[in-house]
Amino acid sequence: MSVDSAARAATREWEPDRELLRAALLVTDRPTRPAALSAAFTFGWRAILKIKHVPEQLFDVTLTPIVFLLMFTYLFGGAIAGDVSDYLHYLLPGVLVQTVLITTVYTGFTLNTDITKGVFDRFRSLPVWRPSPLVGALLGDTVRYVIASTVTLGVGFALGFRGAGGVPGAVAAVALLVVFASSLAWIFTILGLVLRTPNAVMGVSMLILMPLTFASNAFVDPSTMPSGLARVVEANPVSHLITAIRGLMYGTPEASQLLWVLVAAAVITAVFAPITMHLYRQKN
Amino acid sequence: MPSTNDSGALAVEASGLVKHFGQVRAVDGVDLAVRAGTVFGLLGPNGAGKTTIVRMLATLLAPDAGTATVLGHDIRRAADEVRSLVGLTGQYASVDEDLTGTENLVMLCRLYGFGRGAARERSQALLTAFDLQDAGGRQVKTYSGGMRRRIDLAASLVVNPRVLFLDEPTTGLDPRSRNQVWDVIRTLVEDGATVLLTTQYLEEADQLAHRIAVIDHGRVIAEGTSAELKASVGTGAVQLRLVDPDDRPAAESVMARVLDLTPERSADPAALSARTGDSAAVAQLLPALADAGIAVAEFSLGQPTLDEVFLALTGRPAADEEIDEGSAA
């Protein structure tokens, strides 16, 4: 259908209409360079358009949490916690964090796709604030994080999860998670710039994220682990993040936990955003 | 030394540009002088360094050595000024295939600073000028090759660039689409734009470019107008095609005797060619072939083609090189 009409259009003779072309070229007024944030928002708009045009990309973002929640709750829940609904209560914040963190991989993946397809050359040849394509992509990705969170929380609610933090707690948890995920995405933009193919970005990113999310307190209480492993798991930044998220969702937030996450996000951004920008400028 | 002369200012000026990729000197000391309002062609095989030169001039890549200015702005110190004055169309469609034609153009208009309404108007005008108004609502991935190149060109023209860099603008296009792109380029230049294009098609450089730089192994090995380049090879070329390919050895010895040289065998088994300036001898070639009983299908005496120019300059045909442009780009 669409291919047919493309073929039809291609076979139609086209002679450039020089007058139309001239008219289109005669723009005397050059608009002034857009503000930095305005350019970034335009790139964010692009990312959202891509979600609109290619909704398939949300399949795994939405299916993974459903599968994980069902699998862990009913398959392992009884064995791990002795009671399915108790385990769901423990598990949901962990799956929420894992889902959103895995979604951050897309930032690097789409960046690498842009580079391999050549569209990034166009962006880099524009007179705009240099980080705006990257910042814009991160802004657009927050939409993805929110969608993934909403699906996870919705499924959790349907399965019977009720947090004492209520809706405000859940919203605060998602907000905190989005902040942390956006900082983490800077690590994957580095991979997006360094590795050769989008699939390599995906593979390496998963290799980092899988141990990081599983060797955390997402699924199992570290106190049940051998002491050496427990220490590692408790030191894992993802465990700190999950603890803070649990606090918000259970209605028992602690300022120190929240502060820890915010400081970690700031540090990650401060370290990795400049590295990304350096690589971006140097990119061949 | 290229300098501004009576014929007008230089739009692009480069001197001693060098770019390494690892061990490879992709660009090895390139000087260029492109006069404003002209088409300048960078001609060379794959991997010669053409793309790298364009990417440096378009501020996408920092040179390792050398300097260049675009409309008087230094590509390093005034990169933003350069970016606001140039348009770029890469070797591959540099638009977002997932978005529609309209969305791509609106996005670029917004990035150049157009307001919402103005961006929409401008996009519509560009789509109409390139006869894509009916395709504006479709994703670019559904476009044909020719349409894709047109949306790509339109995307480069959002702010009426004074200098347009076109990296192999017609590679992979069918002849009709190629002619359309050529027409667009000619129109742009008539309106005062300067175009720097790379091509591996000799015909394209011949058709479009006022001046041509022949690039090989990252260096400019010859520069001039198409006619100058042809003249630098020397003289005209005799092209001969026989009715019967079996006659070729006999015709070869007749040619060698009459013209006092060794003719070249073309890929076509019935064809021979020779470069000579001796028109008196050439005039005797046909009667001599007739005397030898050799039937001639085609006979021409003309200027050398740019293919021959490349062969004469490098000792090699302008065929693909083993260097992978992907790793050198």
Side-chain angles (χ1 to χ4, degrees):
Chain A
M1 8 157 270
S2 61
V3 177
D4 276 359
S5 55
R8 263 204 313 280
T11 49
R12 186 156 49 89
E13 194 75 43
W14 178 68
E15 291 301 328
D17 183 328
R18 289 181 178 225
E19 288 321 305
L20 266 178
L21 209 54
R22 288 216 173 87
L25 287 173
L26 275 178
V27 268
T28 43
D29 52 333
R30 272 166 184 276
T32 48
R33 176 182 158 137
L37 267 186
S38 158
F41 278 124
T42 303
F43 282 109
W45 174 68
R46 164 182 181 249
I48 293 165
L49 283 176
K50 281 174 89 80
I51 295 175
K52 188 186 103 187
H53 285 299
V54 197
E56 303 92 275
Q57 61 178 301
L58 291 177
F59 273 9
D60 47 351
V61 167
T62 50
L63 286 179
T64 315
I66 297 174
V67 169
F68 266 68
L69 273 178
L70 290 174
M71 191 174 76
F72 274 91
T73 307
Y74 294 109
L75 215 54
F76 306 135
I80 294 173
D83 178 81
V84 166
S85 94
D86 277 358
Y87 188 55
L88 178 65
H89 186 72
Y90 182 81
L91 174 73
L92 183 67
V95 171
L96 178 67
V97 168
Q98 187 192 38
T99 303
V100 172
L101 293 193
I102 286 176
T103 309
T104 61
V105 170
Y106 281 91
T107 311
F109 180 82
T110 49
L111 173 62
N112 193 278
T113 309
D114 282 349
I115 292 168
T116 40
K117 292 220 166 147
V119 66
F120 234 63
D121 268 5
R122 159 102 52 215
F123 295 159
R124 292 198 326 142
S125 72
L126 295 173
V128 293
W129 181 50
R130 291 240 101 181
S132 59
L134 297 169
V135 174
L138 292 181
L139 285 175
D141 284 340
T142 58
V143 172
R144 231 184 242 138
Y145 305 152
V146 170
I147 292 172
S149 302
T150 308
V151 171
T152 311
L153 291 174
V155 174
F157 189 80
L159 294 181
F161 177 88
R162 298 291 180 273
V167 173
V171 170
V174 171
L176 184 69
L177 191 48
V178 166
V179 168
F180 186 85
S182 298
S183 73
L184 195 68
W186 285 107
I187 296 176
F188 298 110
T189 54
I190 293 178
L191 293 178
L193 288 164
V194 168
L195 297 176
R196 273 177 170 265
T197 66
N199 284 334
V201 176
M202 199 61 130
V204 173
S205 305
M206 284 303 175
L207 217 58
I208 298 171
L209 273 180
M210 276 302 167
L212 211 57
T213 51
F214 273 100
S216 74
N217 59 7
F219 302 100
V220 182
D221 188 335
S223 63
T224 65
M225 299 174 188
S227 65
L229 180 62
R231 268 199 293 280
V232 172
V233 165
E234 275 160 4
N236 183 346
V238 175
S239 298
H240 286 271
L241 174 63
I242 292 172
T243 304
I245 296 286
R246 283 199 176 114
L248 288 167
M249 292 180 71
Y250 297 165
T252 56
E254 277 180 34
S256 63
Q257 293 166 351
L258 300 181
L259 193 65
W260 196 98
V261 172
L262 291 174
V263 168
V267 169
I268 292 173
T269 306
V271 171
F272 291 100
I275 297 176
T276 302
M277 279 318 298
H278 175 77
L279 290 169
Y280 173 70
R281 281 198 202 90
Q282 301 296 312
K283 181 77 189 164
N284 291 328
Chain B
M1 244 350 255
S3 61
T4 29
N5 55 27
D6 48 311
S7 310
L10 292 178
V12 179
E13 196 169 10
S15 100
L17 283 183
V18 173
K19 185 72 194 176
H20 299 260
F21 294 111
Q23 297 295 313
V24 185
R25 278 175 92 87
V27 175
D28 193 6
V30 163
D31 301 334
L32 291 176
V34 180
R35 226 178 276 140
T38 65
V39 179
F40 192 93
L42 295 178
L43 171 68
N46 265 333
K50 311 183 297 287
T51 297
T52 308
I53 295 171
V54 165
R55 289 169 58 85
M56 285 193 283
L57 294 174
T59 75
L60 294 178
L61 203 57
D64 293 333
T67 58
T69 58
V70 176
L71 297 168
H73 301 285
D74 188 282
I75 56 165
R76 269 198 264 222
R77 274 167 300 166
D80 258 349
E81 281 85 345
V82 172
R83 286 186 203 118
S84 68
L85 293 168
V86 306
L88 169 75
T89 292
Q91 220 167 105
Y92 309 101
S94 40
V95 288
D96 190 328
E97 298 186 340
D98 289 334
L99 303 193
T100 67
T102 304
E103 285 166 352
N104 265 294
L105 293 181
V106 168
M107 173 179 70
L108 288 168
C109 288
R110 298 283 288 145
L111 291 171
Y112 275 110
F114 284 89
R116 263 174 231 286
R120 214 148 267 291
E121 271 172 41
R122 180 88 188 113
S123 306
Q124 201 51 47
L126 283 167
L127 287 171
T128 309
F130 284 90
D131 193 35
L132 292 167
Q133 63 275 28
D134 299 335
R138 288 211 325 259
Q139 282 176 284
V140 171
K141 68 168 79 153
T142 68
Y143 286 20
S144 69
M147 292 164 77
R148 216 178 266 232
R149 202 49 64 97
R150 266 144 59 195
I151 189 79
D152 214 7
L153 273 171
S156 312
L157 300 174
V158 163
V159 291
N160 190 8
R162 308 267 302 284
V163 176
L164 191 58
F165 296 112
L166 301 175
D167 192 11
E168 304 207 358
T170 63
T171 297
L173 292 188
D174 60 81
R176 189 198 292 136
S177 303
R178 192 191 56 184
N179 280 317
Q180 292 169 354
V181 171
W182 287 359
D183 271 353
V184 171
I185 294 172
R186 290 192 184 106
T187 305
L188 292 173
V189 173
E190 278 169 27
D191 278 7
T194 307
V195 173
L196 180 78
L197 66 88
T198 75
T199 182
Q200 38 180 326
Y201 300 131
L202 309 157
E203 190 198 350
E204 185 161 80
D206 211 0
Q207 285 272 340
L208 288 177
H210 299 96
R211 290 185 77 78
I212 299 165
V214 184
I215 311 286
D216 190 39
H217 293 304
R219 280 177 299 131
V220 177
I221 56 169
E223 208 230 286
T225 64
S226 171
E228 281 168 4
L229 288 178
K230 288 170 177 173
S232 72
V233 177
T235 49
V238 179
Q239 303 283 352
L240 187 65
R241 226 164 71 82
L242 308 169
V243 174
D244 184 354
D246 292 341
D247 282 342
R248 185 151 89 165
E252 211 167 1
S253 62
V254 171
M255 257 175 114
R257 178 167 50 78
V258 175
L259 301 177
D260 192 23
L261 48 69
T262 314
E264 284 161 33
R265 290 182 170 217
S266 313
D268 178 347
L272 286 167
S273 68
R275 209 166 285 132
T276 175
D278 188 346
S279 52
V282 171
Q284 287 166 23
L285 188 56
L286 272 181
L289 287 165
D291 286 347
I294 299 167
V296 175
E298 273 174 45
F299 177 85
S300 67
L301 177 63
Q303 287 203 305
T305 64
L306 281 167
D307 253 324
E308 289 168 312
V309 170
F310 203 88
L311 184 66
L313 289 168
T314 63
R316 296 178 286 106
D320 282 356
E321 304 254 312
E322 290 308 306
I323 302 169
D324 172 23
E325 182 99 3
S327 65

Short mmCIF file of all heavy atoms in Angstrom, two decimals, chain A residues 42-79:
data_model
loop_
_atom_site.label_atom_id
_atom_site.label_comp_id
_atom_site.label_asym_id
_atom_site.label_seq_id
_atom_site.Cartn_x
_atom_site.Cartn_y
_atom_site.Cartn_z
N THR A 42 12.90 20.69 21.10
CA THR A 42 12.60 20.24 19.74
C THR A 42 13.10 18.81 19.53
O THR A 42 12.42 17.98 18.93
CB THR A 42 13.24 21.18 18.71
OG1 THR A 42 12.77 22.50 18.95
CG2 THR A 42 12.87 20.78 17.29
N PHE A 43 14.29 18.53 20.04
CA PHE A 43 14.79 17.15 19.92
C PHE A 43 13.97 16.18 20.77
O PHE A 43 13.78 15.02 20.40
CB PHE A 43 16.27 17.09 20.32
CG PHE A 43 17.19 17.60 19.25
CD1 PHE A 43 17.87 18.80 19.41
CD2 PHE A 43 17.39 16.89 18.08
CE1 PHE A 43 18.71 19.29 18.42
CE2 PHE A 43 18.22 17.37 17.08
CZ PHE A 43 18.88 18.56 17.25
N GLY A 44 13.48 16.67 21.91
CA GLY A 44 12.60 15.84 22.73
C GLY A 44 11.30 15.53 22.00
O GLY A 44 10.82 14.39 22.03
N TRP A 45 10.80 16.55 21.30
CA TRP A 45 9.57 16.37 20.49
C TRP A 45 9.81 15.29 19.44
O TRP A 45 8.96 14.43 19.19
CB TRP A 45 9.23 17.72 19.85
CG TRP A 45 8.09 17.70 18.88
CD1 TRP A 45 6.77 17.49 19.17
CD2 TRP A 45 8.16 17.91 17.46
NE1 TRP A 45 6.03 17.57 18.03
CE2 TRP A 45 6.84 17.82 16.96
CE3 TRP A 45 9.19 18.18 16.57
CZ2 TRP A 45 6.54 17.99 15.61
CZ3 TRP A 45 8.89 18.35 15.23
CH2 TRP A 45 7.59 18.25 14.76
N ARG A 46 11.01 15.30 18.86
CA ARG A 46 11.35 14.28 17.86
C ARG A 46 11.28 12.89 18.49
O ARG A 46 10.73 11.95 17.89
CB ARG A 46 12.76 14.54 17.32
CG ARG A 46 13.33 13.36 16.58
CD ARG A 46 14.75 13.63 16.11
NE ARG A 46 15.26 12.48 15.40
CZ ARG A 46 16.23 11.69 15.85
NH1 ARG A 46 16.81 11.93 16.99
NH2 ARG A 46 16.63 10.67 15.12
N ALA A 47 11.84 12.74 19.68
CA ALA A 47 11.86 11.43 20.34
C ALA A 47 10.43 10.95 20.57
O ALA A 47 10.12 9.76 20.39
CB ALA A 47 12.62 11.51 21.65
N ILE A 48 9.54 11.87 20.95
CA ILE A 48 8.16 11.48 21.20
C ILE A 48 7.47 11.11 19.89
O ILE A 48 6.71 10.14 19.82
CB ILE A 48 7.41 12.61 21.94
CG1 ILE A 48 8.00 12.74 23.34
CG2 ILE A 48 5.92 12.33 22.02
CD1 ILE A 48 7.63 14.02 24.05
N LEU A 49 7.77 11.86 18.81
CA LEU A 49 7.22 11.50 17.50
C LEU A 49 7.63 10.09 17.10
O LEU A 49 6.87 9.35 16.49
CB LEU A 49 7.69 12.50 16.43
CG LEU A 49 7.03 13.87 16.40
CD1 LEU A 49 7.69 14.74 15.35
CD2 LEU A 49 5.54 13.72 16.10
N LYS A 50 8.87 9.75 17.44
CA LYS A 50 9.36 8.42 17.07
C LYS A 50 8.59 7.34 17.82
O LYS A 50 8.33 6.27 17.28
CB LYS A 50 10.86 8.30 17.34
CG LYS A 50 11.69 8.97 16.26
CD LYS A 50 13.16 8.97 16.62
CE LYS A 50 13.88 7.75 16.14
NZ LYS A 50 14.24 7.82 14.72
N ILE A 51 8.24 7.64 19.08
CA ILE A 51 7.44 6.67 19.83
C ILE A 51 6.07 6.53 19.17
O ILE A 51 5.53 5.44 19.01
CB ILE A 51 7.29 7.10 21.31
CG1 ILE A 51 8.66 7.07 22.00
CG2 ILE A 51 6.32 6.18 22.04
CD1 ILE A 51 8.65 7.59 23.42
N LYS A 52 5.53 7.68 18.70
CA LYS A 52 4.22 7.67 18.05
C LYS A 52 4.26 6.84 16.76
O LYS A 52 3.37 6.06 16.48
CB LYS A 52 3.81 9.11 17.75
CG LYS A 52 2.38 9.27 17.24
CD LYS A 52 2.09 10.70 16.83
CE LYS A 52 2.12 10.85 15.33
NZ LYS A 52 2.01 12.23 14.86
N HIS A 53 5.35 7.03 15.98
CA HIS A 53 5.42 6.34 14.68
C HIS A 53 5.85 4.89 14.80
O HIS A 53 5.54 4.08 13.94
CB HIS A 53 6.38 7.07 13.74
CG HIS A 53 5.82 8.33 13.19
ND1 HIS A 53 4.69 8.36 12.40
CD2 HIS A 53 6.21 9.62 13.31
CE1 HIS A 53 4.41 9.61 12.06
NE2 HIS A 53 5.32 10.39 12.60
N VAL A 54 6.65 4.60 15.82
CA VAL A 54 7.15 3.23 15.97
C VAL A 54 6.76 2.72 17.36
O VAL A 54 7.61 2.52 18.22
CB VAL A 54 8.69 3.16 15.79
CG1 VAL A 54 9.14 1.73 15.54
CG2 VAL A 54 9.13 4.05 14.64
N PRO A 55 5.45 2.52 17.59
CA PRO A 55 5.04 2.11 18.94
C PRO A 55 5.58 0.73 19.32
O PRO A 55 5.63 0.41 20.51
CB PRO A 55 3.50 2.12 18.86
CG PRO A 55 3.17 2.10 17.41
CD PRO A 55 4.32 2.69 16.68
N GLU A 56 6.02 -0.05 18.32
CA GLU A 56 6.57 -1.38 18.64
C GLU A 56 7.71 -1.28 19.64
O GLU A 56 7.95 -2.20 20.41
CB GLU A 56 7.10 -2.07 17.38
CG GLU A 56 6.11 -2.23 16.27
CD GLU A 56 6.16 -1.06 15.31
OE1 GLU A 56 5.49 -0.05 15.62
OE2 GLU A 56 6.84 -1.13 14.29
N GLN A 57 8.44 -0.13 19.59
CA GLN A 57 9.59 -0.02 20.48
C GLN A 57 9.17 -0.05 21.95
O GLN A 57 10.02 -0.23 22.82
CB GLN A 57 10.36 1.27 20.18
CG GLN A 57 9.52 2.52 20.40
CD GLN A 57 10.30 3.78 20.14
OE1 GLN A 57 11.31 4.01 20.76
NE2 GLN A 57 9.86 4.58 19.18
N LEU A 58 7.87 0.13 22.22
CA LEU A 58 7.42 0.10 23.60
C LEU A 58 7.03 -1.31 24.05
O LEU A 58 6.76 -1.54 25.22
CB LEU A 58 6.22 1.03 23.78
CG LEU A 58 6.52 2.52 23.67
CD1 LEU A 58 5.25 3.33 23.81
CD2 LEU A 58 7.52 2.94 24.74
N PHE A 59 7.03 -2.26 23.09
CA PHE A 59 6.60 -3.62 23.44
C PHE A 59 7.39 -4.19 24.59
O PHE A 59 6.83 -4.62 25.59
CB PHE A 59 6.74 -4.54 22.22
CG PHE A 59 5.53 -4.52 21.34
CD1 PHE A 59 4.51 -3.60 21.55
CD2 PHE A 59 5.41 -5.43 20.29
CE1 PHE A 59 3.39 -3.58 20.73
CE2 PHE A 59 4.29 -5.41 19.46
CZ PHE A 59 3.28 -4.48 19.69
N ASP A 60 8.72 -4.19 24.45
CA ASP A 60 9.48 -4.85 25.52
C ASP A 60 9.46 -4.01 26.80
O ASP A 60 9.49 -4.54 27.89
CB ASP A 60 10.91 -5.20 25.09
CG ASP A 60 11.61 -4.05 24.40
OD1 ASP A 60 10.93 -3.05 24.11
OD2 ASP A 60 12.82 -4.16 24.17
N VAL A 61 9.37 -2.67 26.60
CA VAL A 61 9.27 -1.81 27.78
C VAL A 61 8.03 -2.15 28.59
O VAL A 61 8.03 -2.13 29.82
CB VAL A 61 9.22 -0.33 27.35
CG1 VAL A 61 8.80 0.56 28.49
CG2 VAL A 61 10.56 0.09 26.80
N THR A 62 6.95 -2.51 27.90
CA THR A 62 5.71 -2.77 28.62
C THR A 62 5.53 -4.25 28.96
O THR A 62 4.93 -4.59 29.97
CB THR A 62 4.50 -2.31 27.78
OG1 THR A 62 4.64 -2.84 26.46
CG2 THR A 62 4.46 -0.80 27.68
N LEU A 63 6.08 -5.12 28.11
CA LEU A 63 5.88 -6.55 28.35
C LEU A 63 6.81 -7.09 29.43
O LEU A 63 6.41 -7.92 30.24
CB LEU A 63 6.06 -7.34 27.05
CG LEU A 63 4.92 -7.19 26.06
CD1 LEU A 63 5.19 -7.98 24.79
CD2 LEU A 63 3.60 -7.66 26.69
N THR A 64 8.06 -6.60 29.44
CA THR A 64 9.02 -7.13 30.41
C THR A 64 8.51 -7.03 31.85
O THR A 64 8.54 -8.03 32.57
CB THR A 64 10.38 -6.41 30.27
OG1 THR A 64 10.69 -6.32 28.90
CG2 THR A 64 11.48 -7.14 31.00
N PRO A 65 8.02 -5.85 32.27
CA PRO A 65 7.57 -5.80 33.67
C PRO A 65 6.39 -6.72 33.94
O PRO A 65 6.29 -7.31 35.04
CB PRO A 65 7.16 -4.33 33.87
CG PRO A 65 7.00 -3.77 32.50
CD PRO A 65 7.94 -4.54 31.63
N ILE A 66 5.51 -6.89 32.94
CA ILE A 66 4.37 -7.78 33.16
C ILE A 66 4.85 -9.20 33.39
O ILE A 66 4.47 -9.88 34.34
CB ILE A 66 3.40 -7.71 31.96
CG1 ILE A 66 2.83 -6.29 31.81
CG2 ILE A 66 2.28 -8.72 32.10
CD1 ILE A 66 1.99 -6.08 30.57
N VAL A 67 5.75 -9.63 32.48
CA VAL A 67 6.28 -11.00 32.59
C VAL A 67 7.02 -11.18 33.91
O VAL A 67 6.82 -12.16 34.63
CB VAL A 67 7.21 -11.31 31.39
CG1 VAL A 67 7.95 -12.61 31.63
CG2 VAL A 67 6.41 -11.35 30.10
N PHE A 68 7.86 -10.20 34.26
CA PHE A 68 8.66 -10.33 35.49
C PHE A 68 7.76 -10.38 36.72
O PHE A 68 7.98 -11.19 37.62
CB PHE A 68 9.66 -9.17 35.61
CG PHE A 68 11.00 -9.51 35.05
CD1 PHE A 68 11.17 -9.71 33.69
CD2 PHE A 68 12.10 -9.66 35.89
CE1 PHE A 68 12.39 -10.04 33.16
CE2 PHE A 68 13.34 -10.00 35.36
CZ PHE A 68 13.49 -10.19 34.01
N LEU A 69 6.76 -9.49 36.73
CA LEU A 69 5.88 -9.46 37.90
C LEU A 69 5.14 -10.78 38.06
O LEU A 69 5.08 -11.36 39.15
CB LEU A 69 4.88 -8.32 37.78
CG LEU A 69 5.35 -6.97 38.31
CD1 LEU A 69 4.27 -5.92 38.08
CD2 LEU A 69 5.67 -7.07 39.80
N LEU A 70 4.58 -11.29 36.95
CA LEU A 70 3.82 -12.54 37.02
C LEU A 70 4.73 -13.69 37.40
O LEU A 70 4.42 -14.49 38.29
CB LEU A 70 3.15 -12.82 35.66
CG LEU A 70 2.00 -11.88 35.28
CD1 LEU A 70 1.53 -12.18 33.87
CD2 LEU A 70 0.84 -12.03 36.28
N MET A 71 5.90 -13.73 36.73
CA MET A 71 6.81 -14.86 36.94
C MET A 71 7.30 -14.90 38.38
O MET A 71 7.20 -15.93 39.06
CB MET A 71 7.98 -14.70 35.97
CG MET A 71 8.89 -15.90 35.88
SD MET A 71 10.11 -15.63 34.59
CE MET A 71 11.23 -14.51 35.40
N PHE A 72 7.81 -13.75 38.87
CA PHE A 72 8.38 -13.75 40.21
C PHE A 72 7.32 -13.92 41.28
O PHE A 72 7.51 -14.65 42.25
CB PHE A 72 9.21 -12.48 40.46
CG PHE A 72 10.62 -12.62 39.99
CD1 PHE A 72 10.97 -12.25 38.70
CD2 PHE A 72 11.60 -13.15 40.82
CE1 PHE A 72 12.27 -12.39 38.25
CE2 PHE A 72 12.90 -13.29 40.37
CZ PHE A 72 13.25 -12.92 39.08
N THR A 73 6.17 -13.25 41.06
CA THR A 73 5.13 -13.32 42.10
C THR A 73 4.63 -14.75 42.27
O THR A 73 4.59 -15.28 43.38
CB THR A 73 3.96 -12.40 41.73
OG1 THR A 73 4.47 -11.10 41.46
CG2 THR A 73 2.95 -12.33 42.86
N TYR A 74 4.25 -15.38 41.14
CA TYR A 74 3.57 -16.67 41.26
C TYR A 74 4.52 -17.86 41.21
O TYR A 74 4.29 -18.87 41.85
CB TYR A 74 2.49 -16.79 40.18
CG TYR A 74 1.39 -15.78 40.42
CD1 TYR A 74 1.22 -14.68 39.59
CD2 TYR A 74 0.56 -15.91 41.53
CE1 TYR A 74 0.24 -13.74 39.83
CE2 TYR A 74 -0.43 -14.96 41.78
CZ TYR A 74 -0.59 -13.88 40.93
OH TYR A 74 -1.56 -12.96 41.19
N LEU A 75 5.62 -17.72 40.43
CA LEU A 75 6.53 -18.86 40.29
C LEU A 75 7.44 -18.97 41.52
O LEU A 75 7.58 -20.03 42.12
CB LEU A 75 7.38 -18.64 39.03
CG LEU A 75 7.78 -19.85 38.20
CD1 LEU A 75 6.55 -20.66 37.83
CD2 LEU A 75 8.51 -19.39 36.94
N PHE A 76 8.03 -17.83 41.91
CA PHE A 76 9.01 -17.86 42.99
C PHE A 76 8.48 -17.31 44.31
O PHE A 76 9.06 -17.55 45.36
CB PHE A 76 10.26 -17.05 42.61
CG PHE A 76 10.87 -17.44 41.30
CD1 PHE A 76 11.26 -16.50 40.37
CD2 PHE A 76 11.07 -18.79 41.02
CE1 PHE A 76 11.82 -16.88 39.17
CE2 PHE A 76 11.65 -19.17 39.81
CZ PHE A 76 12.02 -18.22 38.88
N GLY A 77 7.37 -16.57 44.24
CA GLY A 77 6.88 -15.83 45.41
C GLY A 77 6.72 -16.72 46.63
O GLY A 77 7.20 -16.38 47.72
N GLY A 78 6.05 -17.87 46.43
CA GLY A 78 5.82 -18.78 47.54
C GLY A 78 7.11 -19.26 48.15
O GLY A 78 7.28 -19.29 49.37
N ALA A 79 8.06 -19.63 47.28
CA ALA A 79 9.32 -20.19 47.74
C ALA A 79 10.19 -19.13 48.42
O ALA A 79 10.85 -19.41 49.42
CB ALA A 79 10.09 -20.79 46.56
#
